[in-house]
Amino acid sequence: MSVDFLAGKDDIFGIANAAFVSAAAAAGLAYTAQINFPDVLALPPNVDQIYAECSFVVVTEKQIALSRIGGKKGYQTVGLFAMQVFSPKTDASALRVAQTIASAVRDAFCQPPIPTEVWFRDQRLTPVSGSDTKNQTNVVVTCTYKTVR
């Protein structure tokens, strides 16, 4: 089956959103944790709460097949999904909750069967130093899909 950029991105963001929302609800937060996606107008995040920013970038796209019929070509795209999960340093328990949510998102990309034609590998968590006011944990996933055009 063929997957184009928009369908692949929608599948990836859909999996991430479902896992984030579910894990945030299970954490029993007194608020709804915000998750932002590119191309979606969102309110500025409340920096006193856990929130996430998502992105997907294409790293490589190469031709992998040539058809004799119809002149179509097969391509393989490799990209990186990233979710930055932020938590306020003013809340001592927020970092652990944010890392639990980030772990659930990472795990969602490891659980078969995933109903998509996008393949996921190298799922990982990367805690980073953040800033003076917030901690940051990144979820990074390598994504691969094939398209014919």
Side-chain angles (χ1 to χ4, degrees), residues 58-71:
V58 171
V59 178
T60 63
E61 185 171 80
K62 62 183 176 183
Q63 184 177 335
I64 58 170
L66 182 61
S67 171
R68 293 186 206 177
I69 302 171

Side-chain angles (χ1 to χ4, degrees), residues 20 24 29 31-36 43-54 83-88 94 98 101 131 133-137:
F20 182 88
L29 298 172
Y31 54 88
T32 300
Q34 184 175 341
I35 180 171
N36 295 327
L43 295 173
N46 182 339
V47 295
D48 294 324
Q49 298 177 348
I50 294 170
Y51 68 96
E53 300 282 343
C54 295
M83 175 186 282
Q84 301 168 287
V85 183
F86 298 98
S87 59
I101 294 169
S131 69
T133 59
K134 57 189 171 186
N135 297 301
Q136 180 179 343
T137 303

Side-chain angles (χ1 to χ4, degrees), residues 91-108:
D91 181 349
S93 66
L95 177 59
R96 183 146 183 103
V97 172
Q99 289 179 336
T100 300
I101 294 169
S103 294
V105 172
R106 181 216 39 218
D107 293 349

Side-chain angles (χ1 to χ4, degrees), residues 1-30:
M1 181 168 187
S2 180
V3 177
D4 67 13
F5 173 77
L6 293 175
K9 185 174 79 163
D10 288 349
D11 285 351
I12 294 162
F13 287 166
I15 292 166
N17 186 59
F20 182 88
V21 170
S22 176
L29 298 172

Side-chain angles (χ1 to χ4, degrees), residues 106-117:
R106 181 216 39 218
D107 293 349
F109 288 99
C110 301
Q111 304 296 324
I114 298 174
T116 180
E117 294 296 320

